[in-house]
Amino acid sequence: MTADVRPGPARTRRDRAIRVGGVVCALVAAGVVVQADLDGASGWLVADVAGGAAACGALWLSRRWPATMALVAVALAVPAASASVAAGIATLMTALYRRSAVAIGVGAAWVAATLARFWLRPPGLAPYPVWALVAVLFGVALTGWGMLARARRQLVLSLAERVRRAEEEQRRRVEQARHAERLAIARDMHDVLAHRLSLLALHAGALEFNARADPEEVVEAAAVVRSSAHQALQELRQVISVLREAPVLAELDLHALVEEVRRAGMEVDMHDGGVRLPGLPGLTARAAYRIVQEGLTNARKHAPGRPVTVRLDGGPERGLAIEVRNAVVHAPRGEGAGLAGMRERAELAGGRVEQAGIEEGEFRLAVWLPWPV
């Protein structure tokens, strides 16, 4: 918060308006002082005209060189009362754009110049000590106001930068979650294809080496080959480039998963609607298992100690509907990596996340997955 701010030239309409407005105010003040000199036949007329004009020129350049131009205007304000407003505005600009030490130094110079001018040209109406106190108070107010505004602007910029970095980090984590989910699906697909192709090779080999088999056996083996080839082609369309190991369908037991989280102290109300994952197509079964697993993980993270309801319903051609509900304790901020992974898995399985948000005081996750015949 102590570094200088380099404003440069005014670029926006607001910047130009403020710049022009400051110079106009300084010119008006200078004109008032000059007019008073003319009315009173003051001997300071030349100093006020020249000093006021020069101070307004310095004020025009003060956005690019705040401290330097402020000191010039402050020096001109000693002999020229018409330069006092321009010097005050330039002092404020220094406090807005330069670090605290420089701003305080320029503010002190403005106070000293004002005291010197009051000594050389007493304004009257009040004794010198009163005007000296007014000068000190004005100098403190100008410098303090500028430093406060600068600190607030820097705080806003710092918060905006933090938000930008947090958004970038969130996007990065979402991309990592999607990549990890794709790898997990690829591992699952490897096992499925290996099983299908090995079965296909087995029956094709039986047909090759058992040429004298009964026609019924040949028909049966050919049917198995055709069915395995068809299923393998369906699975192949969904394969991702990287292949690694993963659990087989027999291990995708939702009831075992629920029992595991119950033993960990979580209250889960399970309604499976008669759905058994091993009886579903491979990709749908694996997606359903991972989505329920992630839903329970999120519930444990954001609503510890609160009951969770898991519902499954559906059938062939109608699709599989999955719903996970839990009370809201710590409302999630935005879409985390877990939810991003669920969306990715559901989409790759041909399904969709229909809802993932707060509804009537509960967090509701609703997912639909295809269930082809």
Side-chain angles (χ1 to χ4, degrees), residues 68 131 187 301:
T68 303
W131 287 110
R187 295 195 301 266
K301 182 189 304 181

Side-chain angles (χ1 to χ4, degrees), residues 9-21 60 63:
R11 291 182 174 87
T12 66
R13 291 183 179 178
R14 179 175 177 273
D15 291 340
R16 296 189 185 96
I18 293 175
R19 190 179 186 184
V20 171
W60 181 260
R63 181 177 173 86

Side-chain angles (χ1 to χ4, degrees), residues 2-371:
T2 59
D4 290 344
V5 177
R6 302 292 178 183
R11 291 182 174 87
T12 66
R13 291 183 179 178
R14 179 175 177 273
D15 291 340
R16 296 189 185 96
I18 293 175
R19 190 179 186 184
V20 171
V23 174
V24 168
C25 289
L27 285 172
V28 170
V32 170
V33 172
V34 170
Q35 184 63 41
D37 288 345
L38 289 174
D39 294 340
S42 172
W44 294 95
L45 178 62
V46 175
D48 278 332
V49 172
C56 289
L59 179 59
W60 181 260
L61 300 174
S62 64
R63 181 177 173 86
R64 185 180 291 273
W65 302 289
T68 303
M69 293 298 104
L71 291 175
V72 170
V74 165
L76 291 170
V78 175
S82 60
S84 59
V85 173
I89 296 175
T91 300
L92 177 61
M93 294 286 288
T94 302
L96 285 172
Y97 295 116
R98 289 296 177 263
R99 59 184 182 273
S100 300
V102 176
I104 293 173
V106 173
W110 184 88
V111 171
T114 304
L115 293 176
R117 185 177 71 254
F118 286 167
W119 181 263
L120 292 172
R121 304 173 62 179
L125 301 178
Y128 179 79
V130 174
W131 287 110
L133 178 61
V134 171
V136 172
L137 292 178
F138 263 90
V140 171
L142 284 173
T143 305
W145 182 20
M147 291 171 61
L148 180 63
R150 176 174 172 272
R152 180 182 178 276
R153 182 175 65 249
Q154 289 188 328
L155 176 61
V156 170
L157 293 175
S158 174
L159 293 176
E161 177 64 17
R162 290 183 183 180
V163 169
R164 185 188 65 79
R165 291 180 180 178
E167 290 176 349
E168 290 181 355
E169 178 65 18
Q170 178 68 8
R171 285 194 294 269
R172 185 184 65 82
R173 288 192 286 122
V174 167
E175 289 299 324
Q176 289 179 344
R178 288 177 176 174
H179 181 64
E181 203 65 36
R182 287 170 178 170
L183 291 180
I185 295 173
R187 295 195 301 266
D188 293 345
M189 301 311 304
H190 172 258
D191 291 334
V192 172
L193 283 175
H195 173 72
R196 301 293 184 197
L197 294 176
S198 63
L199 188 62
L200 181 63
L202 176 64
H203 288 278
L207 284 176
E208 180 182 0
F209 292 103
N210 194 10
R212 298 180 179 180
D214 295 336
E216 293 181 358
E217 294 178 349
V218 173
V219 170
E220 182 180 353
V224 172
V225 169
R226 181 185 61 81
S227 176
S228 297
H230 178 69
Q231 293 175 358
L233 286 174
Q234 284 185 328
E235 300 287 355
L236 186 60
R237 294 190 185 101
Q238 300 159 339
V239 171
I240 303 178
S241 59
V242 183
L243 304 177
R244 295 169 63 184
E245 297 179 359
V248 295
L249 283 179
E251 299 174 0
L252 302 180
D253 189 347
L254 285 180
H255 290 277
L257 174 64
V258 170
E259 287 301 322
E260 181 182 354
V261 296
R262 283 173 177 166
R263 287 194 298 270
M266 194 172 182
E267 182 181 346
V268 182
D269 187 14
M270 177 73 176
H271 303 276
D272 61 13
V275 176
R276 296 293 181 267
L277 295 190
L280 273 66
L283 191 60
T284 300
R286 282 180 289 275
Y289 183 88
R290 300 302 185 196
I291 288 170
V292 173
Q293 186 180 48
E294 185 63 34
L296 293 174
T297 300
N298 287 342
R300 184 167 60 249
K301 182 189 304 181
H302 298 293
R306 298 300 178 89
V308 183
T309 302
V310 178
R311 294 183 182 276
L312 280 79
D313 187 30
E317 297 183 350
R318 290 192 296 122
L320 175 64
I322 304 172
E323 182 184 63
V324 181
R325 282 180 175 268
N326 60 270
V328 177
V329 177
H330 307 297
R333 296 182 179 180
E335 181 173 308
L339 183 55
M342 279 190 281
R343 290 187 184 278
E344 185 73 15
R345 180 172 284 275
E347 291 173 1
L348 290 174
R352 60 185 177 274
V353 175
E354 295 184 333
Q355 183 177 351
I358 298 175
E359 180 183 272
E360 298 180 356
E362 291 184 322
F363 186 86
R364 178 174 181 263
L365 172 66
V367 181
W368 178 88
L369 298 173
W371 189 337

